[in-house]
Amino acid sequence: MNATKSLTLINSFVRTTDPDASLAFYRDVLGMTVNKDVRNGDFRWVTLSTPTQPELEVCLEQIGQGADWMSDDDVESMKDLLAKGLLNSLVFQVDDVDALFEHVRASGAEVMQEPADQFYGVRDCAFRDPMGNMVRFNSPLADGAGQG
């Protein structure tokens, strides 16, 4: 029996200090569906999924609110790293990177990289979400090859 045969990724965490601002990006700009919006005192997390992959959730986790497993120093360190864009990143695949880029740019999101063909076989672009997390979008190149 292969113990890893049923290994399935079900969620990935993205940190936020403002769940409402993050929701405005992931739900309203990217069109993701809110699955759960859970509150426990001051602590809140929200799970979202894409229409094409409803079984895989992105969990927006609020830093430092009711997270008793983190010290105050840890919370401040996480906030500093988040502000610098040095925490999590997400990569989404789309049919048309250029169209998606224009859509997201029109929302006012910070552009990190305009669409470009990559040597590893995709055309991709990157933005920061409202909290600073890097969010990349790519489409496979038609011939599977890039510039390199």
Side-chain angles (χ1 to χ4, degrees), residues 97-98 113-118 121-125 137-141:
V97 161
D98 295 279
Q113 176 205 305
E114 296 204 9
D117 292 351
Q118 301 293 347
V122 299
R123 181 168 179 79
D124 69 356
C125 64
F137 302 94
N138 75 44
S139 297
L141 290 172

Side-chain angles (χ1 to χ4, degrees), residues 15-51:
R15 308 297 196 242
T16 182
T17 56
D18 185 343
D20 290 322
S22 295
L23 265 176
F25 180 76
Y26 289 97
R27 180 192 58 209
D28 302 339
V29 176
L30 300 187
M32 296 179 74
T33 302
V34 175
N35 298 327
K36 295 177 186 164
D37 189 343
V38 180
R39 295 170 193 262
N40 183 9
D42 293 333
F43 185 62
R44 180 181 180 195
W45 75 91
V46 181
T47 62
L48 306 105
S49 58
T50 66

Side-chain angles (χ1 to χ4, degrees), residues 30-88:
L30 300 187
M32 296 179 74
T33 302
V34 175
N35 298 327
K36 295 177 186 164
D37 189 343
V38 180
R39 295 170 193 262
N40 183 9
D42 293 333
F43 185 62
R44 180 181 180 195
W45 75 91
V46 181
T47 62
L48 306 105
S49 58
T50 66
T52 58
Q53 215 172 12
E55 70 281 2
L56 178 58
E57 294 182 317
V58 172
C59 181
L60 304 175
E61 182 181 37
Q62 191 171 2
I63 295 173
Q65 297 295 322
D68 56 2
W69 62 90
M70 286 186 190
S71 70
D72 290 345
D73 288 342
D74 290 343
V75 169
E76 291 309 311
S77 294
M78 292 279 288
K79 287 180 178 178
D80 289 344
L81 292 171
L82 180 60
K84 294 177 182 176
L86 298 176
L87 289 181
N88 307 52

Side-chain angles (χ1 to χ4, degrees), residues 100-117:
L100 187 284
F101 176 79
E102 293 304 330
H103 171 75
V104 176
R105 180 166 63 179
S107 76
E110 179 185 347
V111 175
M112 294 180 69
Q113 176 205 305
E114 296 204 9
D117 292 351

